[in-house]
């Protein structure tokens, strides 16, 4: 059976997924349909990528056997109520709504629906994201591979147990903000040392991108790669000593820990 991917919501993440799926050849534009309460968004994507826009939620549900829910968490209750009345059969439901658990979805959808919950992150907007996916008991291995392929179109995608998704939120979900803060601080440091800001910015971005690619290709422990840069009594070890003395490692670990705790808190609020 040919998969038809239906997107409910075409904001930044929905748009990124549509672009990635088509660019990577996971599915053709003819296999993608979309619905959004803001009809202009869908019309724009239809013109850009050749997908079909649905005029109603009913049309999308009737057309799709994979439904990707890309709406804000506060809109989920009403949407799921509408979906329950419309769904016939057992389409795969993929939700990227933060804090909305598989249990929450199961309780508001028909019995036996395969559900995948996803935590993506913002670099997916440039097809370099990191997504973690968890499934319920109704999702087969073949169906899970399909879900993973969809999110691999916008970067890295890994299957995890659902209990880890809030930790993933604290790490890779919030992680881009931590990295951007580091980029900003490193750029400011270059300016402090007399480097013009545009030049400092370019050097910092290239340094971080290059280092990440080095780590990816060499597949060594980060400490081993760090040692390649750190010569005895050299400049790097003196800079690292300052970071250690000021607790940079502990600050980062505490930030991820607190972000994870906050994800837990928001999930409990969503379940009430």
């Amino acid at each position: 059976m040919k998969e038809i991917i239906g997107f409910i919501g075409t904001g930044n993440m929905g748009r990124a997924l549509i672009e990635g799926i088509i660019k990577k050849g996971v599915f053709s534009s003819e296999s993608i349909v979309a619905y959004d309460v803001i009809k202009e968004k869908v019309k724009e994507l239809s013109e850009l990528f050749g997908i079909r826009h649905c005029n109603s939620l009913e049309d999308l549900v009737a057309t799709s056997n994979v439904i990707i829910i890309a709406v804000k968490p506060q809109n989920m209750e009403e949407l799921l109520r509408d979906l329950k009345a419309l769904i016939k059969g057992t389409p795969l439901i993929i939700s990227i709504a933060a804090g909305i658990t598989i249990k929450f979805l199961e309780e508001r959808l028909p019995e036996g629906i395969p559900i995948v919950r996803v935590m993506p992150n913002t670099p997916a907007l440039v097809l370099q994201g990191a997504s973690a996916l968890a499934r319920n008991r109704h999702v087969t291995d073949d169906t899970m591979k399909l879900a993973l392929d969809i999110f691999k179109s916008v970067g890295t995608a890994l299957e995890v147990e659902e209990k880890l998704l809030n930790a993933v939120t604290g790490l890779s979900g919030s992680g881009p903000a931590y990295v951007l803060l580091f980029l900003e601080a490193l750029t400011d440091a270059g300016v402090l040392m007399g480097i013009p800001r545009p030049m400092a910015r370019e050097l910092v971005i290239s340094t971080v991108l290059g280092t990440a690619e080095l780590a990816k290709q060499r597949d060594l422990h980060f400490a081993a790669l760090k040692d390649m840069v750190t010569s005895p009594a050299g400049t790097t070890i003196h800079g690292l000593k300052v970071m250690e003395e000021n607790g940079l490692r502990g600050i980062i670990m505490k930030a991820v820990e607190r972000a994870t705790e906050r994800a837990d808190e928001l999930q409990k609020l969503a379940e009430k």
Side-chain angles (χ1 to χ4, degrees), residues 22-162:
I22 294 170
K23 280 188 174 180
K24 296 289 180 69
V26 180
F27 293 100
S28 66
S29 56
E30 291 80 15
S31 299
I32 299 173
V33 299
Y35 168 77
D36 198 302
V37 291
I38 304 173
K39 290 183 169 43
E40 291 75 14
K41 283 186 177 181
V42 187
K43 185 179 179 184
E44 181 187 353
L45 292 180
S46 178
E47 291 171 353
L48 274 174
F49 302 116
I51 66 171
R52 185 169 81 79
H53 65 274
C54 295
N55 292 317
S56 68
L57 190 61
E58 183 176 6
D59 183 18
L60 181 134
V61 173
T63 304
S64 312
N65 48 22
V66 178
I67 297 173
I68 298 178
I69 301 176
V71 302
K72 295 183 185 302
Q74 58 265 34
N75 298 329
M76 285 293 283
E77 187 80 51
E78 181 181 355
L79 173 62
L80 293 173
R81 188 166 56 247
D82 292 340
L83 281 178
K84 185 173 185 178
L86 294 170
I87 286 176
K88 304 290 188 291
T90 55
L92 170 63
I93 301 293
I94 300 176
S95 168
I96 62 172
I100 301 297
T101 64
I102 289 173
K103 181 183 176 186
F104 184 98
L105 295 163
E106 287 178 332
E107 288 174 346
R108 289 159 178 80
L109 290 170
E111 179 67 30
I113 295 287
I115 296 170
V116 173
R117 178 186 168 195
V118 188
M119 180 65 228
N121 66 3
T122 54
L125 302 180
V126 290
L127 311 186
Q128 292 292 326
S131 302
L133 293 75
R135 58 169 142 171
N136 74 352
R137 66 190 183 281
H138 302 300
V139 178
T140 66
D141 289 344
D142 286 344
T143 303
M144 192 63 189
K145 182 182 181 303
L146 169 64
L148 285 165
D149 285 345
I150 288 171
F151 284 86
K152 283 177 182 177
S153 73
V154 292
T156 297
L158 305 170
E159 182 176 3
V160 302
E161 294 181 53
E162 188 182 17

Side-chain angles (χ1 to χ4, degrees), residues 230-241:
T230 312
S231 55
T235 59
T236 305
I237 193 63
H238 280 78
L240 289 171
K241 180 173 181 285

